[in-house]
Amino acid sequence: MKSVFNTNTDELLYRVKNAIFNESLASDIALQEKLEDAFFKMELMDYAVNETMIIAVTNKSGQILFVNDRFSDITGYSKEELIGNTHRIINSKTHPEPFFKEMWSTILKGNTWTGEICNRRKNGELYWVKTYIIPVETYGSETYFLSIRTDITLEKEKEMLLQSRLLSSFETVVHHINNLVFKVEKDSDNNYGFSLLTGKVASDYLVNKGLQTIQPNSDSIKKKIITPIHRLNTYFSEEMTDRLLFYLEKVNNGEEVSYKEWLGDRCVHITISPIEQNGIISGGIGIGNDITELESARTKLSELAYRDHLTNTYNTAALERDIIQKINNHLPFSFVYIDLDRFKNINDSLGHVTGDSLLKLVAERLMKFYRNVGEIYRIGGDEFVVLIGKKQQDIKTLENAKEVIQKIEEPFCIEGMEIHISCSIGIACFPLHGSNYKEIHRAADLALNISKEYGKRNAVLFDLKHMEGYVNKVGLESDIRSGIDNNEFYLVYQPKVNLKRETVDGYEALIRWNKKGKEIIPPNDFIPFAEETGLIISIGKYVLEEACKQGVLWIKQGVPFQTISVNISPVELEQYDFLSNLHAILEKTGLPPKYLEIEMTENILMKNMDRLVKLLNELEILGIKLAMDDFGSGFSNFRYLSELPIHTLKIDRSLMDRVFLGRDEVIVSSIIRIGHSLGIEVVAEGVETIEVVEFLKDHDCHTIQGYYYSKPIEAHEVPSFVLKSI
């Protein structure tokens, strides 16, 4: 089995180096030399790691995915024999089953496990390794376990020899332990102190403090001179002494403890074992191994988990880590949330490679702008966050954000092409706008949403009123969902009156909301929000099915009408299953398609004209009539009337209110005349006065709707509805 981790490091470094030279440093000799030096050091470090450390990578099943040469050398197994196998292949059966259960429990919780393990080589020999197992979670992927081992067989033998020969073998300890060894005992006042502190690490550490190691000499042993006990804080700092005393209390209870300590610039892993004499614990023996290089490697590996590989900024995990740290330390900061506008359009039209290049350039521009001021994080496809750690006035942060918007709008040059993009920004501050990570993030998110609602290209500082609006929207969404489930919505019907025949030609179905049975909510108060959240899909299905049911009932009752009109939201028409749902409703209710008229507004035409034309033609073939609603309210385009299968043109009610003002009389009469010329029925909405009725008669508008004849009425009133005299 070939491991995906078995990468040729030398080849990879060579390719990366060439790529960087070719792309970025071709003309910069000084930078090339520095990079050569950096790669040389990396190669040295890679060589040192492989020569001194025993490294393996396993998955959650314990399967070995990668081993380095040192691992293969010390076990006697080839890489082919190890990869795909489990560590049972080198199990010496020295450790009991609970030992490994505790190890797996620790690493599966995401914690680093440290311990000493006795393994068996292929030839049957035993060897000991100091082991560190580090969980490494790839972002959104699998968790792997990196084990870093050092061969401590010799040290283990020395430790066992030390324990077996008791404490009289000080001279042997001094000559055989090259890292750190110490003995801690209690003095006559029952205070802990050092009676032994020696080894190379101890010597290097103490010489910088102007102190000497503590160790017995041959003369003192021969003369049986009792070694004096030295105060701990003479050799260790106050913090180090407190830490040592904490672990010594555990040792005094018979436990063997391990912990990590920094002695100057050296990181030492210390294990302290109890010293027992005549059944009484009299102190502890400590053994320390220098793990400075291992700790450096672990730190680098951990840091990789917090970087965004594309932009080389920090990622979401790092953002949460840093914010929590700042909050715990009570450090004020600003959370600047940046979202690129229309980035998806660039990705879709120019490709993801160009999109990635743009993200890198945006990140570079942000890092340059916020240099020495804040840290940059990429937390989504086109979303960045800047944490500004210095205490600034809110207004200063807002002013800087507005400058960022201008910087981002400066053109980016990618492969000879100028690309323009803008951004929207939301800002929240700790502790003003939240006390924890979730609250600060949500506050900035809400401010960003407000920025987008203002038309994008804005920077908005969070305000409590934003939260109130958020809560109101959440409450409205919940109420609408509840209203759908509890049948709180119902339909009313407004007659469409034919002025020539003095008859009712049809009815328009209009939705109402009896909220919790206590309050009638008009459509304008909830339909726009329902379209925004997608709830209009459920509401629209209800209206369409209910109107069709009612139409069938009126036919059975003998109620004369030509069409029943239903308003369809642009959101509904954009659904790819709209036509199939409509077929299902007509089949379920039994309404003949010729009785159904669908009303739509002109703004739907701005999005996907080709698809809409195909859909409308299919509806016409089916026999359904189509009406263009609110015509004249915006940038109305008469071209659509000739290209689309429109049967009815409904003049917007706003023109009826102003029909005798300025040029609106000419506009209304022109719409009527053009509609008739195209063979389209023209309906005037919102007619409320006899003067407007007479005007429409004079200009040959055949059909009207409005309060002059009738407000919307409930379904049970339709059969007995009588049109008043015209």
Side-chain angles (χ1 to χ4, degrees), residues 342-361:
R342 301 177 294 100
F343 178 75
K344 185 177 183 300
N345 293 345
I346 293 175
N347 245 359
D348 292 345
S349 57
L350 301 180
H352 290 278
V353 174
T354 301
D356 287 349
S357 299
L358 178 60
L359 288 173
K360 292 178 185 178
L361 293 176

Side-chain angles (χ1 to χ4, degrees), residues 630-647:
D630 299 338
F631 195 82
S633 61
F635 298 98
S636 299
N637 192 329
F638 286 101
R639 179 174 64 86
Y640 295 143
L641 302 182
S642 62
E643 295 179 358
L644 300 176
I646 302 297
H647 302 85

Side-chain angles (χ1 to χ4, degrees), residues 278-293:
N278 300 322
I280 299 174
I281 295 174
S282 60
I285 281 288
I287 303 295
N289 291 305
D290 185 357
I291 59 167
T292 306
E293 292 185 1

Side-chain angles (χ1 to χ4, degrees), residues 456-637:
K456 302 181 180 180
R457 302 177 62 239
N458 282 295
V460 173
L461 180 65
F462 177 76
D463 190 282
L464 284 178
K465 65 182 180 182
H466 300 154
M467 179 61 73
E468 294 170 2
Y470 170 78
V471 172
N472 290 339
K473 285 185 176 182
V474 171
L476 179 57
E477 181 175 358
S478 177
D479 287 344
I480 291 176
R481 292 185 185 278
S482 175
I484 294 172
D485 294 338
N486 297 327
N487 300 315
E488 294 175 2
F489 293 96
Y490 66 98
L491 300 184
V492 293
Y493 301 87
Q494 186 168 44
K496 293 193 295 184
V497 179
N498 188 296
L499 292 177
K500 280 195 171 184
R501 296 195 299 269
E502 298 185 6
T503 59
V504 176
D505 281 355
Y507 296 88
E508 180 180 357
L510 302 169
I511 193 168
R512 298 291 183 268
W513 181 13
N514 186 9
K515 185 179 177 183
K516 299 179 181 178
K518 299 178 181 179
E519 180 185 9
I520 304 300
I521 309 296
N524 289 342
D525 289 353
F526 65 88
I527 290 297
F529 180 75
E531 290 180 330
E532 179 184 332
T533 59
L535 289 171
I536 194 66
I537 304 299
S538 298
I539 293 175
K541 286 181 180 178
Y542 162 78
V543 173
L544 190 57
E545 183 171 342
E546 188 66 20
C548 290
K549 284 181 184 177
Q550 193 58 59
V552 171
L553 181 59
W554 287 339
I555 292 172
K556 292 179 179 178
Q557 293 174 339
V559 176
F561 73 98
Q562 294 181 11
T563 58
I564 184 167
S565 302
V566 177
N567 291 282
I568 300 297
S569 163
V571 178
E572 295 176 78
L573 286 175
E574 289 172 5
Q575 302 302 304
Y576 282 92
D577 60 352
F578 173 77
L579 191 60
S580 61
N581 286 333
L582 177 59
H583 274 289
I585 289 173
L586 290 174
E587 184 176 351
K588 179 180 178 181
T589 60
L591 181 72
K594 68 178 183 178
Y595 286 100
L596 178 62
E597 181 177 64
I598 286 179
E599 295 188 9
M600 59 185 177
T601 54
E602 192 177 12
N603 58 356
I604 185 62
L605 304 174
M606 308 298 180
K607 295 190 176 181
N608 193 337
M609 185 68 171
D610 292 338
R611 180 179 173 275
L612 182 68
V613 170
K614 181 180 178 182
L615 175 62
L616 297 185
N617 285 328
E618 289 176 342
L619 292 175
E620 184 186 35
I621 293 172
L622 192 61
I624 295 172
K625 295 181 174 60
L626 303 170
M628 182 68 72
D629 197 13
D630 299 338
F631 195 82
S633 61
F635 298 98
S636 299
N637 192 329

Side-chain angles (χ1 to χ4, degrees), residues 224-435:
K224 299 182 180 179
I225 298 174
I226 298 176
T227 305
I229 296 176
H230 303 265
R231 294 169 59 88
L232 298 178
N233 56 15
T234 301
Y235 296 86
F236 280 4
S237 68
E238 182 179 352
E239 182 181 348
M240 292 166 63
T241 299
D242 289 343
R243 195 155 38 240
L244 177 57
L245 288 172
F246 170 79
Y247 287 108
L248 285 173
E249 289 302 316
K250 295 179 178 291
V251 171
N252 195 49
N253 292 326
E255 297 182 38
E256 181 180 89
V257 298
S258 296
Y259 70 103
K260 184 173 63 179
E261 187 63 85
W262 282 90
L263 299 181
D265 60 352
R266 310 288 287 277
C267 186
V268 180
H269 183 272
I270 297 174
T271 300
I272 308 176
S273 303
I275 300 173
E276 186 176 330
Q277 291 179 325
N278 300 322
I280 299 174
I281 295 174
S282 60
I285 281 288
I287 303 295
N289 291 305
D290 185 357
I291 59 167
T292 306
E293 292 185 1
L294 291 176
E295 183 65 14
S296 176
R298 187 198 66 81
T299 301
K300 290 177 181 178
L301 283 170
S302 297
E303 190 63 22
L304 287 175
Y306 293 106
R307 303 296 296 189
D308 174 56
H309 70 281
L310 178 64
T311 61
N312 199 33
T313 59
Y314 284 110
N315 59 19
T316 304
L319 177 67
E320 183 172 0
R321 175 199 64 184
D322 293 349
I323 286 181
I324 291 174
Q325 184 177 16
K326 289 179 182 295
I327 291 174
N328 290 341
N329 293 328
H330 307 288
L331 299 175
F333 63 88
S334 296
F335 185 113
V336 182
Y337 200 169
I338 303 170
D339 183 42
L340 301 181
D341 303 326
R342 301 177 294 100
F343 178 75
K344 185 177 183 300
N345 293 345
I346 293 175
N347 245 359
D348 292 345
S349 57
L350 301 180
H352 290 278
V353 174
T354 301
D356 287 349
S357 299
L358 178 60
L359 288 173
K360 292 178 185 178
L361 293 176
V362 168
E364 290 173 6
R365 199 169 286 184
L366 289 174
M367 286 188 282
K368 182 177 180 181
F369 184 88
Y370 283 107
R371 182 183 291 124
N372 302 324
V373 176
E375 196 66 65
I376 313 297
Y377 305 78
R378 178 175 172 237
I379 65 171
D382 59 350
E383 296 176 339
F384 295 86
V385 168
V386 184
L387 283 190
I388 301 177
K390 294 181 180 179
K391 191 173 183 180
Q392 292 186 354
Q393 292 182 348
D394 298 345
I395 188 66
K396 180 66 175 177
T397 302
L398 185 60
E399 289 174 356
N400 285 344
K402 291 179 179 178
E403 291 180 24
V404 167
I405 293 174
Q406 296 176 0
K407 288 290 183 183
I408 296 299
E409 289 182 349
E410 293 176 5
F412 293 90
C413 185
I414 300 176
E415 296 181 355
M417 175 173 49
E418 272 197 3
I419 296 179
H420 295 263
I421 198 166
S422 61
C423 67
S424 302
I425 299 178
I427 304 169
C429 303
F430 171 79
L432 183 61
H433 300 139
S435 59

